[in-house]
Each structure stands twice: as structure tokens, then as C-alpha cells.
Amino acid sequence: QGAGRIVSAVGSIRASGEVALHRSVAGEDDQDGLAMDFSLLLGKDGSPWNLLLEGTGLGNGSRFTASALYRTAWGRVWGGIVRGDVGIGAALDFRSDFPLFLSAEWWDEQGGSWAFRGKWYVKPRWGLYYERLEPGHDPASDIVGVFYQFSK
């Protein structure tokens, strides 16, 4: 019985994520090469709560996120460690009507760092994106890239 509950609990965990390849096109990092982002969402079937694990800028000044994420009818909100500091984020998901997903994050209360990202879905699992990164202490940068989403 105990083993059955454990197997059932593990079987109800859903995993999804995203891999993105990008390059800075304006700002301090525009001479750097390609970088990668990787995110993983872990949650239980039927629950709006998830754990967000993410690495941004892998290969070019990596920053890590480990946050609690809550899914809503209009998108999602998250908070915890965002890009290596205490922070929050929110996203609006327009994909039911239009292939667009917008998100914003704020972290580093002393420097006031923030990022805005817009994703355009070319197909249901992949697309193009633009990100405006305002890292507080450092010059801003504009980033463009491609992404692919996966799920269990």
C-alpha cells in the first residue's frame, strides 16, 4: 500500500520546460557570443502550484532562479530567488487568442534590476523572443533568440 502511494505520487508529477538560444544585439553584451537559457517547471497534476528552476545566460554570466510559481487563468506569477537574488515575476498568456506570451521579472532590491520578455509562437512548442534586460548596476541590453518548449 505504501509503495503504491509513492508510485502514484511520483506518477502525478508533471514536468515541462524550455530551452532557448539567444544573443545580445544591443548593450554591453553585444560582442559576446550565443548563450542559452534552460527552465524546468515541476508540479503535481491538478495543482496550480509549481517549482520553477531556471538558468539564464548559461555560457555568458549565468544567473539561476528557484521560485514558487502559481498558474492562473491569465498566466502565472512567481517569487523566490530570481536570477540569483530575491525577486518576483509575472506573465500574461494570450495564446488562446493570439500567439503571444509576455513576462516581466524584478530582482535585486538594491540595484532595481528587471527584465521584460515577449515571446511570439511560430508553432505550438517553439518561437522567437525579445528581451529587454535592465540589470540595475550594469548597462541595459536587448536580447533576441529562439526557444523550444517540452513537456512530460
Side-chain angles (χ1 to χ4, degrees):
Q1 239 179 3
R5 282 195 302 246
I6 291 172
V7 169
S8 176
V10 170
S12 69
I13 294 175
R14 69 174 183 270
S16 62
E18 180 178 292
V19 176
L21 190 62
H22 57 84
R23 179 169 172 48
S24 181
V25 293
E28 185 177 76
D29 297 331
D30 67 350
Q31 298 302 313
D32 293 336
L34 294 173
M36 185 176 87
D37 295 347
F38 178 80
S39 67
L40 182 63
L41 274 177
L42 299 171
K44 189 172 177 160
D45 285 335
S47 173
W49 290 98
N50 292 260
L51 174 62
L52 171 62
L53 302 172
E54 182 176 57
T56 51
L58 302 173
N60 185 15
S62 306
R63 305 287 252 163
F64 295 96
T65 296
S67 297
L69 181 141
Y70 185 81
R71 292 179 188 258
T72 68
W74 48 266
R76 49 179 87 158
V77 293
W78 59 96
I81 302 300
V82 174
R83 298 191 190 213
D85 212 325
V86 175
I88 58 172
L92 298 173
D93 191 348
F94 298 102
R95 288 180 290 167
S96 61
D97 300 320
F98 198 67
L100 185 65
F101 185 90
L102 303 174
S103 65
E105 292 179 316
W106 178 84
W107 67 98
D108 183 14
E109 68 279 355
Q110 285 137 2
S113 300
W114 60 270
F116 170 80
R117 183 180 286 191
K119 294 180 183 176
W120 182 267
Y121 282 80
V122 176
K123 295 284 184 180
R125 291 190 176 267
W126 72 274
L128 307 171
Y129 79 89
Y130 164 81
E131 181 177 68
R132 176 66 176 186
L133 180 61
E134 295 275 352
H137 305 293
D138 299 320
S141 59
D142 295 307
I143 298 165
V144 295
V146 296
F147 66 89
Y148 176 77
Q149 295 177 333
F150 58 90
S151 61
K152 171 183 148 189

